[in-house]
Amino acid sequence: MTGGVHPVAIVGAGPGDPLLLTLAAVEALANADVVVYDRLVNEAALERHVAPACERIFAGKLPGAHTMSQEEINATLVAKAREGKRVVRLKGGDPFVFGRGGEEALALAREGIPFRVVPGVSSAVAAAAYAGIPVTHRGLASSFAVVTGHEDPEKGERAVDWAKLARAADTIVVLMGTRTLADIASALIAGGRAAETPTAVVASGTLPSQRVVTGRLADVAELAREARIVNPAVTIVGEVAALRDELRWFDTGPLFGKRVLVTRTRQQASELSEMLRRAGAEPVELPTIELQPVVTDHRMRQVVERMLRAEYALHVFTSPNAVDVFFDRLFS
């Protein structure tokens, strides 16, 4: 803490699966007074790790529809930090991999606000892994390149030299490039990449809604269009994409693709939700009940005293909730 200002934590939330948060990210969220988060951040991570009293500020962006401009986000981080609050800037994936985390760090540094960076699991490797595709593999790929497929249309000319990239790495990972995938594929082929190169497009990687389309570089854009694949998506171009049929593991669970409503209390839902996630389902937590003890403290003390005097031969609890309430009172 410098001059009453806590360092702003620029935190990577990972590719979507809330279990892929790092321990450092969980710790930062648990201690946060304010969390400024992006559209691709899984809300389950906030529900699980952020205190109820923490202020949550949504700064999500869609093409042509930004909740907050980048300048407004920067100003918010500075203002909240100067209020003496512990601020977390929570970003999808890794904040320094096409996440504009570097821009936000510079804005803080130029305002004299201390900051720290908590790296996150990047979708560039995680989405491929959850699709059963290793970005490197001995004998197939000893290098890989990560590139954005979402370029600013106001630039006028491409920032990525696709022709050079075509032969620069064994595996090419393109982030957020579904709308321009046909142009990207054509440019790579024109640069010398074989039209027959195995290619996969992974949408909503690491989530139960994950979808994967595979094909050749020459036709994968059309296949993705027919399957109505949209961002967020990762495209993997290279021989490693052909390994998916043998190595797919995530989307083979018995409940994969199913959405399951969990109506238990917030405190009880976590265990069931985790079991559902392990089976491939997407749990949707919507508590329909809230538990409150109906026995007064005075009455409970009488019950406990009679129990300790061994006046009862048998103690019957009719639900796990009754056990929790009873022992909470007993130990207090």
Side-chain angles (χ1 to χ4, degrees), residues 34-45:
V34 180
V35 174
V36 182
Y37 65 101
D38 284 345
R39 178 175 64 91
L40 296 182
V41 170
N42 194 321
E43 293 278 354

Side-chain angles (χ1 to χ4, degrees), residues 149-151 158 162 174 176-185 221:
H150 178 67
E151 296 190 67
R158 289 177 172 174
W162 295 101
V174 183
M176 307 295 278
T178 56
R179 291 194 303 167
T180 56
L181 187 54
D183 291 339
I184 291 171

Side-chain angles (χ1 to χ4, degrees), residues 57-113:
I57 300 175
F58 178 65
K61 296 177 181 179
L62 282 168
H66 293 180
T67 304
M68 299 174 69
S69 69
Q70 189 60 56
E71 291 72 21
E72 290 172 329
I73 293 172
N74 296 346
T76 298
L77 298 178
V78 171
K80 293 296 181 180
R82 284 179 174 161
E83 291 175 11
K85 295 181 178 179
R86 294 178 175 86
V87 180
V88 169
R89 176 66 172 112
L90 191 62
K91 308 176 74 66
D94 182 280
F96 278 10
V97 179
F98 300 120
R100 304 189 77 166
E103 295 177 40
E104 292 168 357
L106 280 171
L108 291 167
R110 289 167 180 171
E111 291 291 335
I113 304 295

Side-chain angles (χ1 to χ4, degrees), residues 169-237:
D170 296 320
T171 304
I172 300 171
V173 181
V174 183
L175 305 186
M176 307 295 278
T178 56
R179 291 194 303 167
T180 56
L181 187 54
D183 291 339
I184 291 171
S186 296
L188 290 174
I189 293 171
R193 199 75 174 204
E196 302 294 321
T197 303
T199 304
V201 182
V202 185
S204 300
T206 79
L207 295 173
S209 55
Q210 174 176 296
R211 298 172 64 205
V212 183
V213 169
T214 58
R216 306 175 307 147
L217 179 58
D219 59 20
V220 73
E222 179 61 20
L223 295 173
R225 187 190 65 79
E226 291 175 355
R228 298 183 179 179
I229 296 293
V230 296
N231 288 326
V234 174
T235 301
I236 304 102
V237 180

Side-chain angles (χ1 to χ4, degrees), residues 112-124:
I113 304 295
F115 66 90
R116 62 191 180 97
V117 179
V118 178
V121 178
S122 174
S123 61

